[in-house]
Amino acid sequence: MGSGQAREEAGGVAALHPGQLGGVIVTYAEADAATGRTAIDAAVRAFTEDSWRLDPRARATALSHLADAYTARMDEVVDTLCQENGKLRREAGFEAHFIPRAFRFAAGLALTPHGRVTDTQPGRQSMSIRQPVGLAGIVVPWNSPAYLCIRALAPALAARCTAVVKMPGQAARTAAPAPSSPASSA
């Protein structure tokens, strides 16, 4: 068994170590349909009821803070990618270095309203404004879980959408915040 594999264990599913035959990295719980529905309902409520989407500076600041957090923990991200995916350190570092860049790019997008004005006829203009439509459902593959998750999530948040993310079981450690992370202390 190697990268991209898991096996059922008492109390959860084991993500297997790609470099150790039968070695377990972490055991994770699989969510059922009811848990998924609860996550979707919470994201829809956040989109419709919370005022965060009305404040582009708050979104840009949050995305910038996430970039800073990933930068501060880059070695940990690289180690996790090496262990879970069996990547060489150089390859994992290459993937991980895109994460803060994606957050910072999205932070800039949050501050830049997008739209278009065109002349439809002499003396008349048409204006289109891009607006969020709601919830983004993001399903992340196992082979590059860290960057591919952020590549989809950061622009969705910048565009004022909420999101539900389904991480792969084979990347359970990548998906789980460490005890000292800002997300777990908030």
Side-chain angles (χ1 to χ4, degrees), residues 52 59-60 62-64 66-67 70 98-110 136 138 146-163 165:
W52 68 270
R59 290 192 315 279
L63 291 163
S64 291
L66 286 168
Y70 267 93
F98 285 109
I99 294 170
R101 293 174 61 174
F103 275 125
R104 293 190 200 294
F105 182 76
L109 290 177
I138 300 169
Y147 174 65
L148 293 177
C149 175
I150 302 310
R151 183 184 75 176
L153 179 61
L157 296 176
R160 303 180 285 173
C161 293
T162 53
V165 178

Side-chain angles (χ1 to χ4, degrees), residues 1-6 16-19 84 170:
M1 295 188 151
S3 291
Q5 296 190 12
L16 303 180
H17 193 295
E84 280 189 329
Q170 301 87 341

Side-chain angles (χ1 to χ4, degrees), residues 49-122:
E49 298 172 9
D50 199 306
S51 63
W52 68 270
R53 62 190 169 94
L54 303 176
D55 188 349
R57 290 182 194 271
R59 290 192 315 279
T61 299
L63 291 163
S64 291
H65 286 318
L66 286 168
D68 294 341
Y70 267 93
T71 299
R73 299 179 74 172
M74 188 64 67
D75 286 339
E76 184 181 335
V77 172
V78 170
D79 290 344
T80 298
L81 290 171
C82 289
Q83 186 180 35
E84 280 189 329
N85 290 114
K87 292 184 180 205
L88 299 174
R89 188 158 186 80
R90 189 174 93 193
E91 181 183 348
F94 181 74
E95 176 184 341
H97 99 276
F98 285 109
I99 294 170
R101 293 174 61 174
F103 275 125
R104 293 190 200 294
F105 182 76
L109 290 177
L111 296 172
T112 309
H114 292 284
R116 177 173 287 163
V117 176
T118 57
D119 291 324
T120 57
Q121 296 176 20

